[in-house]
Amino acid sequence: MPTIFVLNGPNLNLLGKREPGIYGGQTLADIEAMCLEEGRKLGLTIDFRQTNHEGLLIDWFHEASGSAAGIAVNAGAYTHTSVALHDATRAIGIPVVELHLSNVHAREEFRHKSLLAPAAKGVICGFGAHSYILALNALNTLLHTSK
Ligand code: DQA
């Protein structure tokens, strides 16, 4: 069964109490449960993780390149700042789908720019926790259509 890494960046451990009007009331544990359930339906093993540290996120990208078929990543604020994440995405040779709970384009201007997006396979944002499900389905389709 192919493995998909679902990686979460800074402050996403606070979901549920962090600006629920923007990010919704679900906790990261709730979202992990949704992802595991979707993985069962799709026949994917889900490795779900969160860190507040940019370097650890990069280490996980490298680890995924040896052991996973793809990455769904909510890089949080590092999306808008991290050249290292852009470079890692280009380096690893497996598809990366960028995702966000909120519609970053409808928010502050500093969120409109993603350094990750030009290196990613695609971007999903604005659907709350369902963005994770959409990202898993996008990766699953890629796995079945690419050689
Ligand atoms: C976010 C959007 C980012 O701009 C923000 O820094 C986050 C969460 C989202 O899921 O909507 O931490 O990635």
Side-chain angles (χ1 to χ4, degrees), residues 30 36 46 49 51 56 65 68 72 77 79 83 85 89 92 97 100 105-106 131 136 138-139 146:
D30 295 334
L36 294 182
I46 304 298
R49 306 179 188 185
T51 178
L56 187 53
S65 80
T79 306
V83 176
L85 212 50
T89 300
I92 58 175
V97 172
H100 304 282
H105 301 288
S131 290
L136 290 178
L139 282 164
S146 58

Side-chain angles (χ1 to χ4, degrees), residues 10-12 18 23 74-77 79-80 99-102 104 107 111:
N11 300 306
L12 292 166
R18 175 193 182 199
Y23 297 118
N74 183 351
T79 306
H80 316 297
L99 77 94
H100 304 282
L101 295 149
S102 64
V104 287
R107 301 182 59 197
R111 296 185 204 279

Side-chain angles (χ1 to χ4, degrees), residues 18-66:
R18 175 193 182 199
E19 301 187 87
I22 294 174
Y23 297 118
Q26 281 162 303
T27 65
L28 197 61
D30 295 334
I31 293 175
E32 178 174 11
M34 284 173 57
C35 288
L36 294 182
E37 175 60 24
E38 191 67 12
R40 271 191 288 277
K41 287 185 199 155
L42 296 173
L44 301 170
T45 300
I46 304 298
D47 192 330
F48 192 98
R49 306 179 188 185
Q50 188 274 334
T51 178
N52 292 319
H53 303 276
E54 183 178 5
L56 187 53
L57 214 45
I58 304 299
D59 287 342
W60 287 346
F61 269 55
H62 296 176
E63 183 187 335
S65 80

